[in-house]
Amino acid sequence: MVKNSTKRMRHFLSASVAISLSITLSGCGGEASTNTDIESVDVVTPVEDWVMVWGDEFDGTAIDMTKWSHEVTCDGGGNQEKQCYTDSSDNSFVSDGFLNIVALPAAEGSAQPYTSARMITRDKADFTYGRFEMKAKLPSGQGSWPAFWMMPTDETYGGWPKSGEIDIVESVNLKAGRADGVVENNVYGTLHYGKDSPDNVSSG
């Protein structure tokens, strides 16, 4: 069983990117390298003039459907994923102050060998600018690809990736051993943009 627990999702400031929260069995990482000066921004001291406008602490007994929607599809999530996204409480539920997203083997004869959940805020909580915070425990193992990411609500500049995508966090096959003996230990944050594939660009 692959389990993703998420708590304390908050958004500070104003309102056109929909948040997608998913656990996938394959996904949209990207090869990129950047130099980030972590000393240039003080991430510890609160910015006093910012105001929280959206949050979910998952303190109830059920998913707040005024804030989230389930994508229900078996089309592979655009990444040839071997799973169906469902709205079943077996695949996504709230417990002990956490949102749990669980990937499970599907029943024999199903369209895909696994089931999971993809939850989005599109058309319920869309933001243009701000600061996003989340706390999550990511699963590990071959075939896991949990992600927290943002897509445009309105594809102003065209379909993917022309209008952009911000992958806040993804981990790919975390802790799985490769054939060369290396253990996977990468966690990604990636920007996708540019022209239609194969001329798309990513950095992160």
Side-chain angles (χ1 to χ4, degrees):
M1 178 177 6
V2 178
K3 186 173 181 180
N4 179 31
S5 300
T6 305
K7 187 172 183 178
R8 294 198 172 133
M9 294 188 164
R10 296 178 176 173
H11 175 258
F12 295 85
L13 279 185
S14 59
S16 111
V17 191
I19 302 170
S20 295
L21 178 63
S22 67
I23 181 141
T24 62
L25 298 171
S26 66
C28 58
E31 164 122 21
S33 61
T34 61
N35 293 318
T36 302
D37 179 5
I38 61 173
E39 303 300 326
S40 64
V41 176
D42 181 357
V43 297
V44 177
T45 304
V47 181
E48 293 182 3
D49 59 345
W50 286 18
V51 176
M52 188 172 75
V53 297
W54 187 92
D56 198 340
E57 300 288 341
F58 304 109
D59 290 332
T61 58
I63 295 168
D64 185 346
M65 301 311 294
T66 66
K67 296 179 178 178
W68 300 97
S69 297
H70 286 90
E71 285 193 17
V72 177
T73 178
C74 290
D75 68 2
N79 302 297
Q80 300 177 332
E81 299 162 18
K82 299 299 183 183
Q83 64 181 335
C84 290
Y85 287 123
T86 81
D87 58 3
S88 167
S89 59
D90 291 335
N91 294 120
S92 59
F93 58 91
V94 168
S95 177
D96 298 324
F98 291 92
L99 169 64
N100 296 268
I101 295 179
V102 183
L104 297 169
E108 188 172 343
S110 297
Q112 298 286 1
Y114 296 95
T115 61
S116 186
R118 176 182 281 183
M119 296 176 58
I120 62 173
T121 66
R122 185 173 185 152
D123 297 324
K124 294 187 175 184
D126 299 20
F127 311 103
T128 302
Y129 303 108
R131 172 176 170 173
F132 297 83
E133 295 181 1
M134 66 171 277
K135 177 182 178 183
K137 181 177 180 181
L138 306 180
S140 60
Q142 181 64 44
S144 65
W145 197 314
F148 179 68
W149 45 296
M150 296 190 294
M151 296 288 290
T153 299
D154 303 309
E155 295 183 331
T156 304
Y157 304 105
W160 190 91
K162 292 178 181 176
S163 296
E165 172 183 343
I166 301 172
D167 297 330
I168 296 172
V169 62
E170 297 177 288
S171 67
V172 186
N173 300 327
L174 196 63
K175 299 183 181 179
R178 299 190 327 210
D180 60 5
V182 174
V183 175
E184 295 285 356
N185 63 353
N186 295 309
V187 177
Y188 300 97
T190 310
L191 304 176
H192 294 274
Y193 51 97
K195 301 177 181 177
D196 289 326
S197 180
D199 297 321
N200 52 303
V201 181
S202 63
S203 62

